[in-house]
Amino acid sequence: MPAENTRVLALTGGVGGAKLCLGLDRLLPPGTLQILVNTGDDFEHLGLHISPDLDTLLYTLAGRANPAMGWGLEGETWNAMGALEQLGGSTWFRLGDKDIATHLFRTARLAAGDDLAAVTADLARRMAISSVVHPMSCQAVRTTVHSDEGDLPFQHYFVRRRCEPRVHGFSFEGIEDAAPNPAVMELLAKNHFSQVVVCPSNPFVSIDPILKLRGLWKALRDCDAPVVMVSPIVAGLAIKGPAAKMMAELRVPVTALGVARHYAEHYPGLVDYFLIDESDATLADDINRLGLKARVAPTIMNTLEQKIELARLCLALELR
Amino acid sequence: MPAENTRVLALTGGVGGAKLCLGLDRLLPPGTLQILVNTGDDFEHLGLHISPDLDTLLYTLAGRANPAMGWGLEGETWNAMGALEQLGGSTWFRLGDKDIATHLFRTARLAAGDDLAAVTADLARRMAISSVVHPMSCQAVRTTVHSDEGDLPFQHYFVRRRCEPRVHGFSFEGIEDAAPNPAVMELLAKNHFSQVVVCPSNPFVSIDPILKLRGLWKALRDCDAPVVMVSPIVAGLAIKGPAAKMMAELRVPVTALGVARHYAEHYPGLVDYFLIDESDATLADDINRLGLKARVAPTIMNTLEQKIELARLCLALELR
C-alpha cells in the first residue's frame, strides 16, 4: 500500500498514459490522485467541442473504454455516423452515438459559459470517477503538425491522415496565452504533491504541450516531489501511437535514450527518475549520464495487474 | 393530372403542413413543387443548429418520417440521449441518433460558411427529394412566445413546456433584418408560379413568421397565382399542435372563421380561396363575407390518398 500521505499528480495524453493512470487510480485511495491531461488534441468538429485525451482518460477510469478499438466506449453504436455518411457528411472522425453525448454535454456547457475544468469535473463526477481529472488549461491550445503535406491540425494528421505524412515539427497555437490549470498550479506552489508521474505518453504531442504551458515545467521541477517518468518507447517501438515514427522522422534515435535526451535538453532538471523497460536495460548508463536516474522495470501494461504494479513502482521511487 | 404548366409554391410549418406537401409532392411531376418552410422554430441546442420544420418536411418527403411519433425518423435509436441522460445533460429535446446526423451535417456546413438554403438543398438532394425545399430565410428569425411564464423561446414553450403556459402573443426576433428567401422572391417577381398553397399549419407560429418577412406577403398577393389556404382548424380543433389552444388563449374564436379573420385582417387581399372542412360548411358564408372565397372539402389527411386528393383540390381552384 502507498504511504499515508501519498498525493500524486500524473501528467498524461492518450491511450498509453491512460493505462498507467488506471493503475494509479486503482492503487491509490480515492481522491489521492490528480491527473493533468493534454488538451492540445482538442478540436471543434461538426459543431462539437471534442477533447479526445480527456475522454480517453475518463472512459478508461470509468471502466467504460472499448478495449478492442483502443478508443471510444464499450458497447458503442454507430447510427449517427451511418446516417451522416448517407448525407455525405464528414465521417473521418468516427463518433459513436454514446460518445456524441459526451461531446454534446461538453459543448453545451462551454456554450453556457462554464470552463473546461468545471465541465470535466462534472463529467468525472457523473462517471463516478474518484480521481481528480484536470484539463491542462481552460483556454484553447491547438497542436499543429508541420509535415510534408503542410501544416495539419492534430486530428487531421492523427485520424484523417492516419499519421502518414512525414513530420518535421510541431507548434501549439495559443500556448503563450493559455493559463496552465490554476488549481494544479496552486497545489504545486503549496507543495501539495508527494509524487509526480509523467505517464508513457507521446513526448511531442502529449507531454510537450503540457510542459510548455507558461511556468508549468518549472513549477514541477521546483516542487519537492520527485518527478518520475515512464518511457513511452520500449525496445525501439512506441507501445501505442506515432511516437516512434515521429522520432524517426525528426532524426532522433528511436530509443528510450532518445526520449530521455529530449526531456533533459528541453526541461533540464525536471525529471528525477526515468523508468525504462527491462528490454532497454543497456541504455541505463547513458540515461544516468544525462542526469536522469534510470530505473529498469517491466513497463508493458497489458493487464490491470501490470498497470497497478507499474503504478506501485513509480510511487516507490523517492528522492534520496 | 395537373395542367401542363403547373408550378406550385407551398408555404408550410410542421407536421400538418408536411402532410399536404407530401400530397402535392406525390401528385406533381418532379421539380414542379417548391416549398417555403418556416424557420422561426429553429434553435441552437447542445451546439447544434436544429431546424425542426425543415427536418419534418424533409423526412416526410423522403418517406422516412416516423408515423407513430409524428416527428423524427422511422427506425430511430436513442443511444446518444440515453448516454446524455446518464451524464445529467439536457434531454428535454429528444434527439435520435440518426436525426443527430442531420443536425451535425447542417451545423458543420453552416460553420463552414454555407447558407441555410444551400445546406437544405443538399440535404434534400441526399434524401432523393425532387421537390425544391427552401428555408423562409437564410438569416435567423426566432419565434418567442409571450406567456404567463414570461417570454419563452419557441422550442422551450413547445417541447420543454409541452405548450402548457398560457399564451398572450408572439414575436419574431430578427424578422426586420432577415431577407426572405431570395430565390423564391425572384420567382414571385417573375410570376413563375401558377398556384400558391398555404398548408394547414399554425397561423401564429408557422405561417405568420413567413408572411411577416419583409415584402413577402405582398409579393404573394401581387403575383398572378391564386393563393389557396387550407384551414388548420377543423370543427373547432387543431388537427395537430397547439393552434386551437393558442386561439382560445388569445380570445379568438376557435373556428375556421377565426383563422380566416386572422388572415383577412393582417394580410388583406392575400388569400383567394379558403378551404374548410365539410364539418365546418356552415361557416362558408361568414368567410365569404371577409372577402375570402370559402370552399368546402374533406380536409382530413390520414392516408396518402387523402393527402393527394386534397392537393388535387387545392390545385383545381382557379381565379375566375
Side-chain angles (χ1 to χ4, degrees):
Chain A
M1 284 299 294
E4 187 90 9
N5 295 323
T6 304
R7 288 183 298 270
V8 179
L9 176 68
L11 274 60
T12 190
V15 175
K19 287 184 180 184
L20 183 53
C21 288
L22 180 62
L24 289 162
D25 177 85
R26 296 300 190 262
L27 174 67
L28 290 163
T32 313
L33 174 63
Q34 307 208 21
I35 309 173
L36 190 61
V37 185
N38 172 44
T39 55
D41 299 5
D42 286 22
F43 72 137
E44 285 71 36
H45 184 56
L46 300 170
L48 303 172
H49 181 109
I50 301 180
S51 298
D53 284 355
L54 281 171
D55 290 346
T56 292
L57 181 68
L58 291 170
Y59 295 162
T60 300
L61 295 186
R64 296 181 57 207
N66 187 316
M69 294 199 304
W71 55 274
L73 284 162
E74 65 181 354
E76 187 57 282
T77 59
W78 304 93
N79 296 322
M81 280 298 104
L84 189 58
E85 192 153 28
Q86 286 185 350
L87 293 175
S90 171
T91 56
W92 58 268
F93 195 89
R94 306 290 297 167
L95 296 168
D97 298 325
K98 297 175 186 176
D99 186 41
I100 284 174
T102 307
H103 312 315
L104 291 174
F105 181 92
R106 178 180 288 119
T107 303
R109 289 282 305 272
L110 292 174
D114 291 313
D115 69 18
L116 188 58
V119 179
T120 303
D122 244 31
L123 283 169
R125 191 171 52 81
R126 288 285 179 170
M127 295 186 198
I129 293 166
S130 60
S131 295
V132 184
V133 178
H134 302 280
M136 67 182 200
S137 174
C138 290
Q139 284 88 50
V141 176
R142 295 293 176 262
T143 299
T144 298
V145 179
H146 305 298
S147 81
D148 59 359
E149 296 185 5
D151 290 353
L152 297 171
F154 182 75
Q155 296 300 338
H156 286 248
Y157 162 80
F158 187 64
V159 177
R160 189 172 206 168
R161 292 291 296 116
R162 299 160 194 268
C163 306
E164 285 170 17
R166 260 186 96 81
V167 162
H168 50 80
F170 308 93
S171 58
F172 308 103
E173 320 309 333
I175 199 145
E176 283 84 9
D177 300 322
N181 188 293
V184 171
M185 291 303 279
E186 196 180 325
L187 292 171
L188 285 172
K190 285 184 186 166
N191 252 320
H192 171 84
F193 298 108
S194 60
Q195 202 87 355
V196 174
V197 177
V198 182
C199 292
S201 290
N202 189 303
F204 311 108
V205 295
S206 294
I207 304 301
D208 272 358
I210 305 177
L211 296 180
K212 285 180 190 294
L213 285 163
R214 192 194 321 139
L216 185 56
W217 83 264
K218 289 187 177 166
L220 290 167
R221 182 195 61 188
D222 296 342
C223 78
D224 293 343
V227 174
V228 180
M229 177 175 280
V230 178
S231 175
I233 298 286
V234 171
L237 300 169
I239 299 302
K240 183 82 198 166
K245 178 173 183 289
M246 287 175 173
M247 292 176 80
E249 289 164 1
L250 295 167
R251 301 174 194 284
V252 174
V254 187
T255 62
L257 178 62
V259 175
R261 192 173 285 137
H262 172 82
Y263 287 104
E265 275 178 16
H266 291 89
Y267 314 100
L270 171 65
V271 179
D272 297 298
Y273 290 97
F274 194 78
L275 229 78
I276 58 175
D277 191 68
E278 296 169 322
S279 59
D280 291 323
T282 56
L283 301 172
D285 287 348
D286 283 339
I287 291 168
N288 284 326
R289 268 191 285 275
L290 294 170
L292 288 61
K293 298 180 182 72
R295 290 294 181 272
V296 178
T299 65
I300 306 292
M301 296 177 282
N302 289 321
T303 66
L304 179 60
E305 289 65 35
Q306 290 169 329
K307 292 169 186 132
I308 293 174
E309 188 50 35
L310 185 57
R312 198 188 312 274
L313 285 170
C314 289
L315 301 190
L317 295 171
E318 293 174 22
L319 289 182
R320 259 161 302 271
Chain B
M1 284 297 295
E4 186 90 11
N5 295 323
T6 304
R7 289 183 299 269
V8 179
L9 176 67
L11 274 60
T12 189
V15 175
K19 287 184 180 185
L20 183 53
C21 288
L22 180 62
L24 289 162
D25 178 86
R26 296 301 190 261
L27 174 67
L28 291 163
T32 312
L33 172 64
Q34 308 208 18
I35 308 172
L36 190 61
V37 185
N38 172 44
T39 56
D41 299 4
D42 287 22
F43 73 138
E44 286 70 36
H45 184 57
L46 301 169
L48 303 172
H49 181 109
I50 302 180
S51 298
D53 284 354
L54 281 171
D55 290 347
T56 292
L57 181 68
L58 292 169
Y59 296 162
T60 299
L61 295 185
R64 296 180 58 208
N66 187 316
M69 293 198 306
W71 55 274
L73 283 162
E74 66 182 355
E76 186 58 280
T77 60
W78 304 93
N79 296 322
M81 280 298 104
L84 189 58
E85 193 153 27
Q86 286 185 350
L87 293 175
S90 171
T91 56
W92 58 268
F93 195 89
R94 305 290 298 167
L95 296 166
D97 298 326
K98 297 176 186 176
D99 186 42
I100 285 174
T102 307
H103 312 314
L104 291 173
F105 181 92
R106 178 180 290 119
T107 304
R109 289 283 304 274
L110 291 174
D114 291 313
D115 68 19
L116 188 58
V119 179
T120 303
D122 245 30
L123 283 169
R125 191 171 52 80
R126 288 286 179 170
M127 296 186 198
I129 292 167
S130 61
S131 295
V132 184
V133 178
H134 302 281
M136 68 182 199
S137 175
C138 290
Q139 284 88 51
V141 176
R142 295 293 176 263
T143 299
T144 298
V145 179
H146 305 297
S147 80
D148 59 0
E149 296 185 7
D151 290 355
L152 297 171
F154 181 75
Q155 296 299 339
H156 286 247
Y157 163 80
F158 187 63
V159 177
R160 189 172 206 169
R161 292 290 297 115
R162 300 161 195 265
C163 307
E164 285 171 17
R166 261 186 96 79
V167 163
H168 50 81
F170 308 94
S171 58
F172 309 103
E173 321 306 334
I175 199 147
E176 283 83 11
D177 300 323
N181 188 294
V184 171
M185 291 303 278
E186 196 181 322
L187 292 170
L188 285 172
K190 284 183 185 167
N191 252 319
H192 172 83
F193 298 108
S194 59
Q195 202 87 354
V196 174
V197 177
V198 182
C199 293
S201 291
N202 189 302
F204 310 108
V205 295
S206 292
I207 303 301
D208 272 358
I210 305 177
L211 295 181
K212 286 180 188 295
L213 285 163
R214 191 195 321 142
L216 185 55
W217 82 266
K218 290 187 177 165
L220 289 166
R221 181 195 61 187
D222 296 343
C223 79
D224 292 342
V227 174
V228 181
M229 176 175 282
V230 178
S231 175
I233 298 287
V234 170
L237 300 170
I239 299 302
K240 183 84 198 164
K245 179 173 182 289
M246 287 174 172
M247 290 174 81
E249 288 163 2
L250 295 168
R251 302 175 194 280
V252 173
V254 188
T255 62
L257 178 61
V259 176
R261 193 173 286 138
H262 172 82
Y263 287 105
E265 274 177 16
H266 292 90
Y267 314 100
L270 172 65
V271 179
D272 296 297
Y273 290 97
F274 194 77
L275 230 78
I276 57 176
D277 191 67
E278 295 168 323
S279 59
D280 291 324
T282 55
L283 301 172
D285 286 348
D286 283 339
I287 292 169
N288 282 326
R289 270 190 285 272
L290 294 170
L292 287 62
K293 297 180 183 70
R295 290 293 182 273
V296 179
T299 64
I300 306 292
M301 297 177 283
N302 289 321
T303 67
L304 180 59
E305 288 66 35
Q306 289 169 329
K307 292 169 186 131
I308 293 174
E309 188 50 34
L310 185 56
R312 197 189 312 274
L313 284 170
C314 290
L315 301 190
L317 295 170
E318 292 175 23
L319 289 182
R320 258 160 304 267

